[in-house]
Amino acid sequence: MDEVVVKFYRRLCREGFKHTGELENPSIFMDTVGEKIRICSHVSHAYMHIYINVRNGIIDDIKYLCTCDPAANVAVEIFCSLIKGKTVPEAEALTETDFTQALGTEGEEYLKKTRGLIELLRRGISRYQSSGQGSIIKNIIDK
């Protein structure tokens, strides 16, 4: 595993995983099992749930629960810190480069996890927008 990822994971273990937990009635809920996106390890019971609250077009809170390997834990913590406080369109524009700049590595295992998170987010935002909530928010942002 990439040494940068290992160091970050060890720091998370010492200081705590800032974004773990659940949110009741999230604006966007994403589930890797339901989406058939493998972000966590290849163990059959591995999963990741991501809960996002959107208020006035801005992601004001994000939490996750998972049974994942260290690289996925690092990637999802970076993911949460990258999109919290962003508008939905800004979050949707998230790229692998954002992840590599945030952590300072281009390790293949880490990037594989980030690709899965980006795809999961785009699917979650698409559902959010098609539910009608996203179009209301878009109108608020455009004004």
Side-chain angles (χ1 to χ4, degrees):
M1 187 179 334
D2 186 316
E3 187 61 31
V4 175
V5 172
V6 170
K7 285 181 182 179
F8 193 89
Y9 183 75
R10 286 180 182 155
R11 191 178 98 212
L12 289 172
C13 289
R14 279 191 316 273
E15 298 174 9
F17 294 78
K18 182 177 178 181
H19 297 96
T20 59
E22 293 177 86
L23 298 173
E24 286 195 36
N25 302 314
S27 307
I28 301 171
F29 172 74
M30 300 174 296
D31 171 20
T32 57
V33 175
E35 294 289 342
K36 295 182 173 108
I37 295 178
R38 185 160 285 174
I39 297 170
C40 305
S41 65
H42 295 288
V43 177
S44 63
H45 67 278
Y47 74 93
M48 182 181 292
H49 293 165
I50 301 175
Y51 309 82
I52 298 174
N53 276 341
V54 179
R55 188 167 301 157
N56 298 321
I58 296 174
I59 296 171
D60 74 338
D61 204 0
I62 181 167
K63 299 284 183 192
Y64 71 92
L65 293 175
C66 70
T67 56
C68 294
D69 56 281
N73 274 280
V74 168
V76 73
E77 280 288 333
I78 297 291
F79 170 78
C80 292
S81 66
L82 285 171
I83 70 169
K84 187 172 181 179
K86 301 255 192 280
T87 65
V88 172
E90 288 171 337
E92 191 173 24
L94 188 68
T95 67
E96 283 181 39
T97 302
D98 296 319
F99 281 91
T100 59
Q101 289 176 349
L103 190 59
T105 186
E106 294 182 7
E108 186 53 40
E109 187 177 356
Y110 172 69
L111 287 178
K112 183 178 173 184
K113 309 295 183 183
T114 67
R115 288 181 206 114
L117 285 164
I118 290 167
E119 177 61 25
L120 189 64
L121 177 64
R122 290 191 177 137
R123 290 181 190 185
I125 288 174
S126 177
R127 276 192 310 278
Y128 172 72
Q129 291 170 332
S130 66
S131 73
Q133 293 177 346
S135 59
I136 294 167
I137 299 306
K138 185 177 180 336
N139 291 336
I140 292 170
I141 292 171
D142 289 343
K143 288 182 180 178

